[in-house]
Amino acid sequence: MKNYCYLQIIKRFLVLMTLWSFSVQAQYPVDAPKSQATLGSTTEWFRSMQSSGDLQIHGFASQAFIKTTDNDVFGNSSGDGNFGFTEIGLNALMRPLPRLQLSAQGLSRRAGEGTSATPRLDFAFADYRLFSQETKQFGIRVGRLKNPFGFYNDTRDVAFTRPSILLPQSIYFDRTRNLALSSDQVQFYGETSHLKYGTFSTQFGINRPIVDDKDTALSFVRNRPGSLSPKPTFIGRGIYESSNNRFRMALSGIWLNMAYDPAPGENLGSGSIQFTPLYLSAQYNTERWSLTSEYALRHIEYRNFNNQMLDSLHFTGESFYFQGVYRFNPKLEVLLRYDVLFSDRKDRDGKEWAAKTGAPAHSRFARDITAGMTWNVTPAFMLRAEYHRVNGTGWLSPLDNPVSASTSQHWNLFAVQASYRF
Amino acid sequence: MIKAIIRYLLQLIYFVYILGAAPSALADQEYNVIVHPDVVEKNLSVNTLRAIFGMRMQTWPDGTKIRVFVLPDEAPLHQKFSKGMLRVFPYQLRAAWDRLVFSGIGHAPISVASPEEMQEKVSSTPGAIGYLWKNNIHRGVDVLQVQR
């Protein structure tokens, strides 16, 4: 299934590449008449594309050191700590026609048992601007796209776009990240702005979620033999920005559908899982301060598993955080954040869950106080350090901590990270 | 009598309207927005300028590509232009560009190292837009009027 999906994307891309290579040739003399003599030379063409900004290559790499007490995050981090968290990405952005952009990014991420360093196609899509009139834009994107939700999901693996080494885990779970990350979709986007009232932009997509990885399977159906398959899923986000750019607000929602097929001999029905999270995000910016808060209600429903325990699983998780960033100057900033997760808002202390399943009550919530510091050594090189004091293991990966009974409720995490980009 | 009052009021409204809508060229600034001479637009609103430097508006009304040139984030002119003209803090612009680049839905502006390079690139790249200190502006680029 996965291979087939990649193949589809590669095919789509090849067709597009062939198409645009013709149009580029045709357009080239108009754009840069001086170098017409060297039209045949690929390197010249490449250089001209780059100097005019029609081809951009960007990349990033970051390496973290993480040390925790008791529980493990991104590998065996308790004890002496480890260097198990690495992010490397490379992308190419091309604008062969004024209204057409082709973008692709490869990502290699190593983060404990959940994610090996195997590179994945993070996004690869064509973006066509159907309508553009000064401050009003409307267009369509087709291919593999980052899932637009919240303030940070679209660029969650690029350290420079995050406020901290770890994003607030209550909203941006690293545990089920692959599902949240990107998906094959058709997306429409639009934007309108007004000098007084500000800018409103929106994205809406129909997609096929990527569900075939072990983290997702483990999170949703524990270790029951069988497979998850994607069903049509909808995702949308609207962002409002005030005209002085001080205030940003977003509302995003996902209507995610998955089907479960039991392995032969497994005594379960072919069930379906519906995950419908709703996110509200707000941010206030001044020259020195950025105050950010996001709130999420995450509803999950299991159906037709022919299993009383599973089919009774209808619950809503609740997450929120408050975050303040203060910039002493463009080079140095500090962060303070309070991040809260409840797996089930009707069972905030996890006691009902503990009574029903025998798992520790603290596995159903997490309260994380984070203090961090960022030093932008140069525009391309950044150093970070942060400390987390956590009560609860709600967002801890079961892959890194297979025996939930032996996890500790109160634990600490310390991390440093070096990041480079170009 | 009533007619006269109505006429007076209408004229007053008209006068206020003209005053309000009149383009107020920014007289006090020491820098200008510059474009490649082939760019048809010589007159833009701040709002449009924001869309351009926010890398959201990608083509000129005649269909040609907009190519945005900027000085480094820490350059005094960039700070002045960003805060004074666009009314955005430089870190916000950078964050917006990073979001576009690393989710693939846009481009970053092209960075130039100096005012000389700005002059050279904007004068030689079709569809180019940038900014310069007034006394760094030479032949080969057009000055764009910005309306508020």
Side-chain angles (χ1 to χ4, degrees), chain A residues 69-347:
Chain A
T69 56
D70 313 297
N71 309 320
D72 283 329
V73 170
F74 298 158
N76 181 18
S77 60
S78 56
D80 292 339
N82 78 354
F83 287 92
F85 183 31
T86 315
E87 297 156 302
I88 300 170
L90 187 69
N91 74 34
L93 314 171
M94 281 168 282
R95 201 151 62 119
L97 297 170
R99 283 166 176 265
L100 177 69
Q101 172 157 339
L102 302 174
S103 308
Q105 178 164 287
L107 177 73
S108 159
R109 184 176 184 270
R110 193 168 60 100
E113 291 289 318
T115 322
S116 71
T118 317
R120 75 175 246 160
L121 187 64
D122 196 27
F123 58 73
F125 61 91
D127 178 334
Y128 191 76
R129 193 67 57 100
L130 296 164
F131 173 82
S132 171
Q133 193 202 58
E134 307 235 319
T135 52
K136 291 177 185 63
Q137 320 288 341
F138 180 76
I140 182 173
R141 304 184 179 118
V142 181
R144 177 167 295 186
L145 278 145
K146 303 298 284 185
N147 287 330
F149 72 82
F151 279 152
Y152 298 111
N153 193 63
D154 314 36
T155 57
R156 61 189 288 163
D157 296 315
V158 190
F160 287 90
T161 68
R162 298 192 295 246
S164 48
I165 300 171
L166 297 181
L167 277 174
Q169 294 291 305
S170 75
I171 307 266
Y172 304 97
F173 290 94
D174 278 317
R175 203 181 60 197
T176 52
R177 55 173 260 115
N178 289 344
L179 184 64
L181 214 54
S182 49
S183 53
D184 303 325
Q185 55 182 295
V186 176
Q187 187 185 87
F188 292 93
Y189 65 93
E191 179 190 295
T192 175
S193 77
H194 184 277
L195 187 57
K196 257 198 210 125
Y197 306 122
T199 303
F200 180 74
S201 55
T202 181
Q203 282 156 280
F204 179 80
I206 303 167
N207 67 43
R208 243 173 68 98
I210 302 165
V211 298
D212 48 359
D213 69 286
K214 50 185 174 175
D215 248 10
T216 310
L218 196 60
S219 287
F220 285 95
V221 289
R222 297 290 150 181
N223 25 25
R224 293 182 179 87
S227 63
L228 285 173
S229 55
K231 290 213 292 196
T233 288
F234 302 89
I235 186 162
R237 178 174 65 188
I239 300 181
Y240 167 76
E241 268 174 275
S242 69
S243 66
N244 58 8
N245 280 67
R246 298 229 159 182
F247 186 64
R248 287 177 78 213
M249 220 184 91
L251 181 68
S252 4
I254 306 173
W255 189 42
L256 188 141
N257 297 293
M258 288 179 278
Y260 168 80
D261 289 309
E266 178 70 6
N267 193 20
L268 278 180
S270 296
S272 67
I273 304 168
Q274 199 176 78
F275 180 44
T276 46
L278 198 66
Y279 305 85
L280 184 66
S281 320
Q283 186 171 61
Y284 186 74
N285 294 299
T286 71
E287 185 146 32
R288 302 240 153 163
W289 286 97
S290 286
L291 303 174
T292 312
S293 181
E294 296 195 276
Y295 177 85
L297 282 174
R298 293 168 288 104
H299 187 70
I300 301 182
E301 231 176 283
Y302 289 69
R303 286 195 202 121
N304 307 323
F305 280 83
N306 298 334
N307 171 304
Q308 218 189 342
M309 159 76 194
L310 278 174
D311 286 335
S312 71
L313 278 179
H314 289 203
F315 60 92
T316 305
E318 188 176 28
S319 318
F320 60 88
Y321 70 87
F322 299 98
Q323 170 184 287
V325 169
Y326 182 78
R327 289 171 210 88
F328 291 99
N329 54 52
K331 287 203 184 293
L332 194 67
E333 59 187 60
V334 290
L335 165 139
L336 196 64
R337 181 170 63 215
Y338 180 55
D339 179 36
V340 179
L341 162 74
F342 301 112
S343 297
D344 182 352
R345 67 197 297 245
K346 293 216 172 97
D347 178 29

Side-chain angles (χ1 to χ4, degrees), chain A residues 52-70:
Chain A
S52 62
D54 291 347
L55 171 65
Q56 296 187 352
I57 310 270
H58 297 271
F60 57 91
S62 54
Q63 174 62 51
F65 171 80
I66 299 180
K67 169 148 173 43
T68 53
T69 56
D70 313 297

Side-chain angles (χ1 to χ4, degrees), chain A residues 52-54 56 91 93 95 98 101 103 123 125 129 134 191 193 195 243 245 285-287 327 421, chain B residues 47-48 50 56-59 63 65-67 83 87 89 91-92 98 101-102 104-108 110:
Chain A
S52 62
D54 291 347
Q56 296 187 352
N91 74 34
L93 314 171
R95 201 151 62 119
Q101 172 157 339
S103 308
F123 58 73
F125 61 91
R129 193 67 57 100
E134 307 235 319
E191 179 190 295
S193 77
L195 187 57
S243 66
N245 280 67
N285 294 299
T286 71
E287 185 146 32
R327 289 171 210 88
R421 68 152 161 202
Chain B
N47 208 23
T48 305
R50 274 193 193 146
R56 306 190 307 266
M57 178 176 162
Q58 300 176 334
T59 49
K65 288 177 197 171
I66 299 178
R67 291 180 170 119
K83 285 193 271 186
R87 305 249 173 231
F89 300 116
Y91 79 85
Q92 288 179 294
D98 284 348
V101 162
F102 291 109
I105 62 172
H107 266 70
I110 306 163

Side-chain angles (χ1 to χ4, degrees), chain B residues 72-93:
Chain B
D73 289 11
E74 63 276 11
L77 177 54
H78 178 76
Q79 306 244 333
K80 231 181 173 106
F81 172 75
S82 171
K83 285 193 271 186
M85 181 73 85
L86 303 178
R87 305 249 173 231
V88 187
F89 300 116
Y91 79 85
Q92 288 179 294
L93 268 184

Side-chain angles (χ1 to χ4, degrees), chain A residues 371-384:
Chain A
M373 206 165 129
T374 300
W375 180 24
N376 296 305
V377 186
T378 71
F381 185 66
M382 177 180 73
L383 291 174
R384 262 196 187 131

